[in-house]
């Protein structure tokens, strides 16, 4: 069992996600319900680690349900050239592009930091926004 080092009241990224759906506003990831992740088929005679034997280079990876890749592939076995080593983080944008959060006004690029700060006060934002400062688009699997 993995030892937990989280501060009290803080859960792991994705721990509270509803994994039975592709998208939910406060899920941290996008899922492929009912399908497990499969390592892509290698192309062009590629061999991990140049063919060197390693206990982790077995072509297997436990992830159920599978998550979308960092470049947005929605396949449980992505293509070899997809960003399959990473997963796409859900910042409250549904698969059809709908944004489930308030947006800054059109002139926001001319506002100072205080106006930006004031705008976001009291706003209900998706869970991932609170967990990842700077809103990085992907995490490594």
């Amino acid at each position: 069992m993995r030892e937990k080092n989280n501060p009290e009241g803080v859960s792991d990224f994705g721990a509270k996600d509803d994994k039975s759906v592709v998208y939910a506003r406060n899920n941290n990831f996008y899922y492929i319900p009912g399908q497990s992740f499969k390592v892509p088929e290698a192309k062009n005679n590629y061999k991990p680690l140049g063919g060197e034997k390693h206990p982790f280079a077995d072509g297997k990876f436990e992830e159920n349900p599978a998550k979308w890749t960092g470049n947005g592939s929605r396949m449980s076995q992505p293509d070899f050239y997809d960003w399959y080593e990473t997963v796409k983080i859900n910042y409250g944008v549904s698969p059809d592009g709908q944004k489930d959060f308030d947006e800054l006004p059109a002139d926001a690029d001319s506002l100072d930091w205080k106006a930006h700060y004031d705008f976001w006060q009291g706003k209900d934002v998706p869970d991932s926004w609170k967990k990842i400062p700077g809103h990085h688009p992907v995490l490594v699997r």
Side-chain angles (χ1 to χ4, degrees), residues 88-140:
K88 187 171 185 76
I89 297 175
N90 171 12
Y91 287 109
V93 179
S94 69
D96 66 4
Q98 178 179 325
K99 295 176 181 173
D100 286 334
F101 50 86
D102 291 316
E103 292 189 68
L104 287 164
D107 66 346
D109 60 344
S110 65
L111 301 175
D112 65 12
W113 71 268
K114 175 110 174 59
H116 280 258
Y117 177 83
D118 290 343
F119 174 84
W120 290 108
Q121 295 309 296
K123 297 279 195 278
D124 181 27
V125 296
D127 187 66
S128 295
W129 287 33
K130 300 169 195 170
K131 291 181 177 174
I132 299 188
H135 306 349
H136 303 286
V138 296
L139 282 180
V140 174

Side-chain angles (χ1 to χ4, degrees), residues 5-11:
N5 294 317
N6 298 350
E8 189 173 329
V10 175
S11 61

Side-chain angles (χ1 to χ4, degrees), residues 37-72:
F37 173 78
K38 296 176 202 75
V39 175
E41 294 289 329
K43 293 184 178 179
N44 301 320
N45 296 315
Y46 174 80
K47 295 192 182 344
L49 302 175
E52 180 181 322
K53 296 291 181 199
H54 189 279
F56 297 128
D58 60 4
K60 298 176 184 168
F61 192 86
E62 182 69 31
E63 182 179 278
N64 190 4
K67 298 176 184 84
W68 291 15
T69 65
N71 67 326

Side-chain angles (χ1 to χ4, degrees), residues 17-36:
D17 284 3
D18 177 356
K19 297 173 184 165
S20 70
V21 296
V22 171
Y23 169 81
R25 179 184 187 264
N26 286 312
N27 275 359
N28 296 142
F29 301 109
Y30 297 90
Y31 294 94
I32 307 166
Q35 297 183 41
S36 295

